[in-house]
Amino acid sequence: MDRAEFFDGAGRDEALTLSLDGWEGPLDLLLTLARSQKVDLREISILALVQQYLAYLESAESIRLEIAADYLVMAAWLAYLKSCLLLPTDPEADPSPEELAWRLQQRLARLDAMRNAGARLMGRDRIGRDVFARGAPEGLRLMRSSTWQSTPYELYAAYGLVKARTQPAMHIVAHRAVMALDEAIERVARMLGTAVDWMRIEAFVPPSLDLAYAKSALASSFVAALELARQGRLELSQDGPFAPLEVRAAR
Amino acid sequence: MNDLVRAVEAVLFAASNPLSPDEIALHVAGGDIAAALATLAERYTGHGIELVERGGRWHFQTAPDLAHLLRRTREEPRRLSRAATECLAIIAYHEPVTRAEIEAIRGVQISKGTIDVLMEAGWARTAGRRESPGRPLLYATTPAFLTHFGLGSRRDLPGIDDLKAAGLLDPLDEEEALSLETRGDED
Amino acid sequence: MNDLVRAVEAVLFAASNPLSPDEIALHVAGGDIAAALATLAERYTGHGIELVERGGRWHFQTAPDLAHLLRRTREEPRRLSRAATECLAIIAYHEPVTRAEIEAIRGVQISKGTIDVLMEAGWARTAGRRESPGRPLLYATTPAFLTHFGLGSRRDLPGIDDLKAAGLLDPLDEEEALSLETRGDED
């Protein structure tokens, strides 16, 4: 719909189909209505503008709810503004109705200014429409040449790495002090003679500062104790899982 | 014609984009590039081609009064919607500006694609975030915007001084900006 | 400057192809185009740009003596990737060597670009073909390689024992070996 035609010609003709689809929000509609007063935006009659807006909304034939919400909120606010402007001035009101009206005017002026600015921008001598850049520029070329860098150290280290990576792997198990099973059986059997009552298995392990050896000795002594128990030479007792394991000579 | 001026002329002529004096200097060793540019610009005055500066970068273009000879079609290179046009104007005159501020000025939410269109055209860019609650993105114009619309700088925006004087470019009062923000920005 | 000459200048500037006088006349109504072209050509003599005719078609071009300004080379120092360094080391210690042999020694395949980079750097060259099935190309180092790495000759490369003494042949610790496996050939 051509707005100018609408306002200049038909006025609020009932035959016209009015809808909100053509407006970019309530402020846009207000601005167009304000323009129809044909005075400077700062001189417009806010009361008349409010009337125009409310009348337009009433006459709008098809109101689609999803787009109407903003317009209705604005209508409510304008109705409030109108009543404030008509009622006797309440000196306590803050902001005052005049202040509210001024703010509305300012908002319309801002939108109007930006709308004009947009139009003036689009009307400038634009590249590709009014002025033209060179059609076939040769172009400036940037040739990148890489100067590769490396150092002797990196070269040798790389070769070392390759060699190390592909060297056949040799596995050497380092010597470790262990207590052999035979030794443990002999030791446990020998010490069992002195064990009158239950003794913890740890008591059969020789004291050692070498933790690895101590572990090995404990493991071997345990297996030795199992073997001696199988032979019926000692008894084993344990109250529960992980409880101390105790040993005594068979009765 | 002096060698430096010739060289600057050739480089600008061959370039497919506007060049800053620093960029020109990468091709033309030594000499007063600014002086050479001034000489050239003057020499081309009244020609069918002119040398112009846009946002600190220089390029040759055809004289605006010859547009009617060169325009093949009346169609605009990029036809912007009314929403996009207003949005671009708001960004240009208020930059840097948040989406909520743009919406507050227009009194309506802007659809998702509107700013995208401006960014795609190369006329708008994001310009950091405002250090306020929510840290909203800021938008500003680009050098290509100045080039396209034939503006030497933002000071050449039509009527910007008058708008500033009338207080129409002042930051919005918070109430107005807030009333829109609470409606929720969908992305 | 006369209007016709200005118009012809602008039309030729904006055109994406050289134009014949007839084609120019489609844009510029009336007037002696040949004369305007002659005037223009003379006016641009000695500029950084010149108007030239080729086979009856006219166009602007940068003056041939300034062509070198349009190209600019920038040297960028770049570090050799680890894969390329290993590859170079293998070539240096084993030359002449085929690609398959390099891969066998590295224990990892080498990507297409790796040897190219070494050739581009001027450190590796092809050195004929091995007379074996498939006649694979052989690679060797260049004098520039010796210069860059400060070597008088290949005999100056440290031997395996030297590398061992320098701790460069120590078995990898597990972590490093793992990171090598997962990284594969990265360039």
Side-chain angles (χ1 to χ4, degrees):
Chain A
M1 170 173 54
D2 184 59
R3 299 152 185 222
E5 207 174 278
F6 164 53
F7 287 109
D8 294 345
R12 234 171 280 122
D13 192 331
E14 298 295 328
L16 273 176
T17 306
L18 304 181
S19 87
L20 298 178
D21 290 347
W23 309 103
E24 301 239 345
L27 216 52
D28 179 30
L29 172 55
L30 267 176
L31 180 56
T32 311
L33 293 168
R35 283 259 184 78
S36 74
Q37 293 189 10
K38 299 200 194 286
V39 287
D40 188 284
L41 272 185
R42 289 167 195 280
E43 322 256 306
I44 53 165
S45 153
I46 288 291
L47 269 183
L49 181 61
V50 173
Q51 296 285 25
Q52 277 176 290
Y53 184 90
L54 297 176
Y56 184 86
L57 271 208
E58 269 172 35
S59 61
E61 202 167 67
S62 58
I63 290 191
R64 300 219 321 263
L65 264 184
E66 66 270 26
I67 62 165
D70 290 348
Y71 295 85
L72 297 176
V73 169
M74 177 64 89
W77 188 81
L78 289 175
Y80 165 74
L81 175 61
K82 180 180 151 191
S83 65
C84 289
L85 287 170
L86 290 177
L87 287 171
T89 314
D90 171 7
E92 301 289 300
D94 181 44
S96 67
E98 289 72 25
E99 164 83 11
L100 288 176
W102 180 83
R103 279 195 202 166
L104 177 62
Q105 245 163 2
Q106 195 70 0
R107 285 193 72 183
L108 292 175
R110 268 174 193 276
L111 178 59
D112 192 52
M114 286 302 104
R115 189 156 291 175
N116 287 335
R120 287 173 77 178
L121 270 183
M122 294 303 144
R124 289 183 64 82
D125 289 327
R126 290 166 59 189
I127 287 188
R129 186 186 70 166
D130 310 289
V131 297
F132 295 82
R134 186 156 174 231
E138 286 92 348
L140 299 174
R141 262 178 305 161
L142 174 63
M143 327 268 280
R144 282 167 209 276
S145 73
S146 303
T147 49
W148 292 97
Q149 306 212 310
S150 187
T151 64
Y153 173 78
E154 285 170 328
L155 185 74
Y156 307 144
Y159 193 66
L161 212 58
V162 168
K163 279 299 185 190
R165 197 158 69 218
T166 53
Q167 238 177 133
M170 285 224 304
H171 299 285
I172 301 163
V173 178
H175 173 76
R176 241 174 66 193
V178 294
M179 180 185 275
L181 183 56
D182 293 346
E183 192 190 334
I185 291 177
E186 193 204 330
R187 189 182 159 81
V188 172
R190 182 158 36 82
M191 289 179 72
L192 206 54
T194 65
V196 194
D197 209 343
W198 292 105
M199 277 175 72
R200 290 207 181 180
I201 185 100
E202 284 87 351
F204 293 81
V205 175
S208 168
L209 288 177
D210 183 344
L211 281 179
Y213 178 73
K215 264 198 171 150
S216 161
L218 179 62
S220 300
S221 300
F222 172 63
V223 177
L226 290 179
E227 173 62 19
L228 292 171
R230 192 182 65 81
Q231 293 175 12
R233 293 166 63 186
L234 61 69
E235 293 174 9
L236 285 166
S237 159
Q238 190 176 27
D239 287 344
F242 304 108
L245 187 66
E246 294 182 313
V247 176
R248 73 175 178 193
R251 299 273 159 98
Chain B
M1 198 168 191
N2 122 13
D3 276 353
L4 180 63
V5 174
R6 283 186 78 225
V8 171
E9 184 185 29
V11 167
L12 280 172
F13 206 73
S16 40
N17 292 305
L19 299 179
S20 68
D22 285 350
E23 287 166 330
I24 296 169
L26 293 174
H27 291 271
V28 180
D32 186 345
I33 306 245
L37 285 166
T39 308
L40 262 185
E42 202 196 312
R43 195 162 290 173
Y44 273 91
T45 306
H47 272 238
I49 308 168
E50 51 189 36
L51 180 60
V52 293
E53 186 201 352
R54 304 286 184 243
R57 303 183 311 160
W58 296 75
H59 72 274
F60 280 111
Q61 63 181 29
T62 57
D65 66 301
L66 300 174
H68 61 288
L69 300 177
L70 303 169
R71 225 178 261 161
R72 253 142 266 164
T73 57
R74 299 285 306 176
E75 237 167 75
E76 293 195 17
R78 197 181 284 271
R79 181 130 194 103
L80 286 185
S81 70
R82 214 174 100 199
T85 304
E86 286 179 17
C87 194
L88 179 63
I90 293 169
I91 293 175
Y93 283 76
H94 292 81
E95 77 178 45
V97 67
T98 67
R99 190 192 178 99
E101 286 163 344
I102 299 170
E103 293 181 334
I105 293 170
R106 296 196 64 231
V108 69
Q109 287 195 308
I110 45 180
S111 66
K112 262 191 167 42
T114 307
I115 295 183
D116 287 355
V117 163
L118 301 177
M119 305 243 278
E120 197 197 322
W123 296 337
R125 63 185 169 93
T126 59
R129 292 177 179 275
R130 172 154 299 154
E131 290 306 334
S132 65
R135 301 188 71 240
L137 268 176
L138 290 166
Y139 295 93
T141 53
T142 62
F145 164 79
L146 297 176
T147 302
H148 183 89
F149 291 97
L151 299 161
S153 74
R154 280 188 60 242
R155 281 191 305 272
D156 295 339
L157 284 168
I160 192 167
D161 291 336
D162 295 339
L163 293 179
K164 218 174 254 171
L168 293 176
L169 299 183
D170 294 347
L172 283 177
D173 58 58
E174 279 172 34
E175 200 183 314
E176 271 163 350
L178 267 177
S179 74
L180 265 145
E181 258 171 284
T182 51
R183 280 164 47 198
D185 197 344
E186 72 286 350
D187 51 346
Chain C
M1 199 170 190
N2 113 23
D3 277 353
L4 181 63
V5 175
R6 286 184 75 228
V8 170
E9 184 184 29
V11 166
L12 281 173
F13 174 83
S16 45
N17 296 304
L19 299 179
S20 67
D22 287 350
E23 287 164 332
I24 296 170
L26 293 177
H27 290 274
V28 183
D32 186 347
I33 302 222
L37 284 166
T39 309
L40 260 186
E42 200 196 313
R43 194 162 292 173
Y44 274 94
T45 307
H47 272 238
I49 307 163
E50 51 191 39
L51 181 60
V52 293
E53 186 211 342
R54 299 274 181 268
R57 289 165 188 277
W58 295 75
H59 72 278
F60 282 111
Q61 65 177 28
T62 50
D65 65 306
L66 298 176
H68 64 282
L69 297 178
L70 311 185
R71 257 170 283 115
R72 176 166 62 94
T73 53
R74 188 162 70 193
E75 306 244 308
E76 292 180 337
R78 290 178 65 183
R79 293 222 79 76
L80 217 50
S81 73
R82 181 148 147 188
T85 310
E86 288 185 11
C87 191
L88 178 64
I90 293 167
I91 294 176
Y93 276 89
H94 298 266
E95 75 176 49
V97 66
T98 67
R99 187 197 176 96
E101 287 162 351
I102 297 171
E103 292 182 337
I105 295 169
R106 261 196 94 203
V108 184
Q109 286 205 316
I110 49 180
S111 69
K112 265 199 160 40
T114 308
I115 295 182
D116 289 350
V117 164
L118 299 177
M119 309 249 277
E120 190 199 319
W123 295 336
R125 62 185 169 92
T126 56
R129 292 175 181 277
R130 171 151 297 154
E131 291 306 334
S132 64
R135 302 189 66 244
L137 269 174
L138 289 166
Y139 296 95
T141 54
T142 62
F145 163 79
L146 295 176
T147 309
H148 186 93
F149 290 93
L151 298 164
S153 77
R154 280 188 56 246
R155 281 194 310 269
D156 294 347
L157 284 171
I160 295 295
D161 290 339
D162 300 321
L163 295 180
K164 202 173 271 171
L168 293 175
L169 259 180
D170 291 345
L172 302 175
D173 57 51
E174 272 178 43
E175 202 178 316
E176 202 176 347
L178 263 176
S179 77
L180 263 169
E181 264 171 66
T182 51
R183 277 165 59 195
D185 197 346
E186 70 283 357
D187 55 343

